[in-house]
Amino acid sequence: RALFRLPLAVEVVCGTVGIALYVLVVYAGLAGTESQQDNLAPTAVYVGFWVGVPFVSLLIGDWFRLFNPWRALGRATGWAAGRVSRGEPTEVFPYPERLGHWPAAAGIFAFVVCELCWGTGREPQPLAILMLIYAFAMLAGQGVYGVEAWSRRGDAFGVWFGLFAMLAPVGRRADGTLVLRAPVAAATRLAPGAGTVALLVIGIGSTGFDGASEGPLFNG
């Protein structure tokens, strides 16, 4: 059931908020205290972002897409480039099918390694540097294949959170219209491609490893 269409102004405001929060967390990691417990960055990334966003996505759909800072930066850069080039479109390459979800799977794997296996990845300053590296990688991918194509298939967190959003009772059409639907039903529209199974296995396996590493199997 169609509800209403989100105006462009909402996307602009949400994208601006997403960029502001991203800059705040990076600044906290670079300039704040070195204590993991007292610094905003580790808690914001590993608790609020990695745990909180999927839970909210299960309830209200792909809201992260509106606040995605890398997508917002890419769209803003494209808009600015269009103004400079006087409306001439920037040529991008078509996203290759053989690439599929492999970039997203690699990104999620690298993230869980930093979280679960590499102690330095939890320290504020190295974490902030990794956040900047990821942002540059996302902007590069968007520059080659386009903002929307890369965000839907190459952005690790955009793709991963989008999978959770497919289980939600709230959806969003391509034209921006919000709809109500039966929970979980949208998952039937998932079209597996290259790397999709790997992405799911990495997500499920890392969660299993996270739980098992706290139990007697690893610590006995």
Side-chain angles (χ1 to χ4, degrees):
R1 176 179 299 179
L3 297 177
F4 56 87
R5 182 176 180 179
L6 287 177
L8 179 61
V10 173
E11 294 202 34
V12 173
V13 171
C14 291
T16 303
V17 171
I19 294 174
L21 291 174
Y22 172 79
V23 171
L24 175 63
V25 173
V26 170
Y27 177 78
L30 293 176
T33 176
E34 297 181 359
S35 172
Q36 297 182 31
Q37 290 76 20
D38 299 327
N39 194 292
L40 170 67
T43 302
V45 172
Y46 292 119
V47 179
F49 180 72
W50 181 239
V51 178
V53 173
F55 275 103
V56 180
S57 299
L58 285 171
L59 298 176
I60 62 175
D62 196 8
W63 67 278
F64 175 74
R65 182 174 178 79
L66 297 174
F67 291 86
N68 187 330
W70 315 290
R71 178 173 176 262
L73 282 172
R75 297 181 72 181
T77 303
W79 176 84
R83 296 295 295 270
V84 172
S85 61
R86 298 181 180 180
E88 296 181 5
T90 303
E91 295 293 334
V92 295
F93 294 98
Y95 192 89
E97 292 298 325
R98 66 179 181 277
L99 198 58
H101 286 143
W102 281 114
I108 294 297
F109 180 77
F111 179 84
V112 297
V113 167
C114 291
E115 180 194 15
L116 303 176
C117 306
W118 186 41
T120 306
R122 287 180 170 269
E123 297 177 4
Q125 189 172 28
L127 178 60
I129 294 174
L130 291 174
M131 291 176 65
L132 291 174
I133 293 174
Y134 185 81
F136 283 119
M138 293 301 99
L139 291 176
Q142 293 172 7
V144 175
Y145 298 115
V147 174
E148 298 304 327
W150 183 261
S151 298
R152 292 183 180 279
R153 305 186 70 180
D155 177 7
F157 301 105
V159 174
W160 181 242
F161 297 149
L163 292 175
F164 284 92
M166 297 180 77
L167 308 177
V170 180
R172 186 171 177 230
R173 295 174 180 169
D175 62 356
T177 303
L178 294 180
V179 297
L180 287 179
R181 64 196 181 192
V184 186
T188 60
R189 297 203 303 267
L190 176 64
T196 304
V197 173
L199 173 64
L200 294 171
V201 169
I202 290 169
I204 296 171
S206 63
T207 304
F209 173 82
D210 189 13
S213 63
E214 301 297 330
L217 179 64
F218 281 77
N219 299 314

